[in-house]
Amino acid sequence: MTSEPQPSTSASSAHPLVSLKKVNKHYGPLHVLKDIDLEVARGEVVVVIGPSGSGKSTLCRAINRLETIDDGEIKVDGKVLPAEGKALARLRADVGMVFQSFNLFAHKSILENVTLGPVKVKGMKGGEAKELGMSLLKRVGVANQADKLPAQLSGGQQQRVAIARALAMKPKVMLFDEPTSALDPEMINEVLDAMVALAKEGMTMIVVTHEMGFARKAADRVVFMADGQIVEQATPEEFFTNPKSERAKDFLGKILAH
Amino acid sequence: MDNFLTLFETYNVPAAFWVNIQLTFWAAVWSLVLGTLLALMRISPIPSLQWLGAAYVNIFRNTPLTIIIAFGVLGLFGQLQVSLTDDFNLNFFRLAILGLTIYHAAFVCEAIRSGVNTVPLGQAEAARAIGLSFLPAARLIILPQAFRGAIAPLGNVLIALIKNSTVAAAGSVAAEASSLMKTMIEFRGDLVIPIFFTFAIGFVILVIPVGLLTTWASRRLAVAR
């Protein structure tokens, strides 16, 4: 990936790759996102942490419009998120997404899971897509499982395939929505390793996670959310050693106590 | 007993059942097509299409089949002069298929929707996340899994359709099994009970393999999760 030129489509690379301005969302009476402002630069790795129900998953899913927002503005690579239809589909093709529950296509083989996007969305030729798919599967270490169905793989393997599937679209930014929360403990590291490798290669990443080790190792910035708001953001070093807000101190106290 | 056996020389019972099989086959094919379209409308993100699909299902699922079939002959053909072919008998046959299709498509739609419910939401989200819009996502990801989850309910619709094909009698398809049964009873009232049993058993023989096959297929083709 490092050898590939950065996709520099519209305008300059001066504008942030992802930007959220005054984003609000309600679930009925519940105000889940409150005036969220966030900018993510090209190549930056942002880790979003916070207690359950703080809105961090909703924030992540809003960036490719799996969740709609009530007001505010979300831009990806300088373009405002389209409402629906073809334009939205095109934007989503540029935004990779990795889900908590993997969501591999259950009736397709591992390789087909990876090649489906390039072939059906980008019109890539079958042979070329297969080559790309195998190289990505090799990269995440599951090339030997290419012909199996998702249910035949372990959770860690499935999640690595899901990362390969997202990478196959050559996304500008990757979103990770609690990618290791559904995994058995012994499988968490294999997925985190793949993510750390990706971060080192310069991929722009927004990662919602509870893995503080990953945040320390790979993040450029930690964003701490609570009650639908961004409470503070800092470098991992700064945030973990010297959190400013009471809310963050309390949160870190609870999770780092053991 | 000899009396009973002579019935089969006088009346061609298998030929009558063959008519029902043909009615069933064509109505099954067309109602699968129409039912799939309706299901697509009902799961689509477009409210007016959702509404249209729901309206169709609620109207035709709740109308007696006899009325729909009779309307084909008396309303469409008799009053409105709608003709699907110049051949008089074939026209009734086709109108009956049309009626059976319109009625059973509503049930096929709901069977497919129950299949869609077996597909986790995450599948659709993942499909959208790689840039597939609604139709490709439905065609490539949702429906293939939904059909495999809908085999058993679709089998039930097919079983109902096989038996409901006798309602074609109300649409002047005189060659089908229940019409022949009526004729036989008229002329051989002494054998009314054996005649009834003959046709009942005929349908049971037709239907049992369908049940066995769909049960087997629904297990065999279930999507592993």
Side-chain angles (χ1 to χ4, degrees), chain B residues 198-220:
Chain B
T198 301
F199 284 90
I201 289 167
F203 275 102
V204 170
I205 289 170
L206 275 184
V207 167
I208 282 178
V210 174
L212 292 175
L213 204 70
T214 51
T215 306
W216 173 81
S218 69
R219 287 206 192 117
R220 183 81 179 63

Side-chain angles (χ1 to χ4, degrees), chain A residues 61 64-66 86 89-90 92-93 95 97 99 103-108 116-117 120-121 151 165 169, chain B residues 45 120-133 139-142 144-145 148 223-225:
Chain A
R61 291 163 54 86
N64 67 354
R65 214 167 191 278
L66 286 178
K86 290 230 157 58
R90 226 170 297 135
R92 281 176 174 151
V95 179
M97 176 101 192
F99 300 88
N103 295 348
L104 293 181
F105 304 132
H107 62 308
K108 299 264 183 205
L116 188 123
K120 299 294 177 184
V121 177
R165 173 176 69 180
M169 297 303 291
Chain B
L121 184 61
Q123 296 285 309
E125 289 188 342
R128 286 152 68 196
I130 59 167
L132 293 171
S133 46
R139 186 171 62 84
L140 297 165
I141 307 300
I142 308 304
Q145 297 185 55
R148 290 164 65 166
V223 181
R225 302 206 186 273

Side-chain angles (χ1 to χ4, degrees), chain A residues 203-225:
Chain A
M203 174 61 77
T204 311
M205 295 163 66
I206 298 172
V207 184
V208 174
T209 187
H210 296 293
E211 295 297 327
M212 302 304 147
F214 173 81
R216 277 177 190 275
K217 203 187 294 180
D220 296 310
R221 180 161 41 127
V222 172
V223 170
F224 176 73
M225 280 185 79

Side-chain angles (χ1 to χ4, degrees), chain B residues 33-128:
Chain B
V33 172
L34 182 55
T36 305
L37 284 175
L38 289 166
L40 269 176
M41 288 164 77
R42 295 203 71 174
I43 63 170
S44 80
I46 303 163
S48 56
L49 287 183
Q50 291 170 11
W51 184 90
L52 216 60
Y56 181 100
V57 167
N58 283 313
I59 289 170
F60 289 106
R61 189 175 55 177
N62 299 327
T63 308
L65 179 58
T66 319
I67 291 179
I68 295 175
I69 300 262
F71 179 82
V73 171
L74 302 174
L76 283 184
F77 176 70
Q79 188 70 37
L80 301 171
Q81 313 279 304
V82 174
S83 196
L84 301 175
T85 168
D86 291 335
D87 183 321
F88 191 68
N89 283 322
L90 185 60
N91 187 38
F92 289 143
F93 179 75
R94 288 193 179 166
L95 283 170
I97 290 171
L98 180 67
L100 287 168
T101 297
I102 284 171
Y103 177 77
H104 288 92
F107 292 89
V108 168
C109 167
E110 294 306 276
I112 292 173
R113 255 178 13 115
S114 80
V116 170
N117 285 336
T118 69
V119 184
L121 184 61
Q123 296 285 309
E125 289 188 342
R128 286 152 68 196

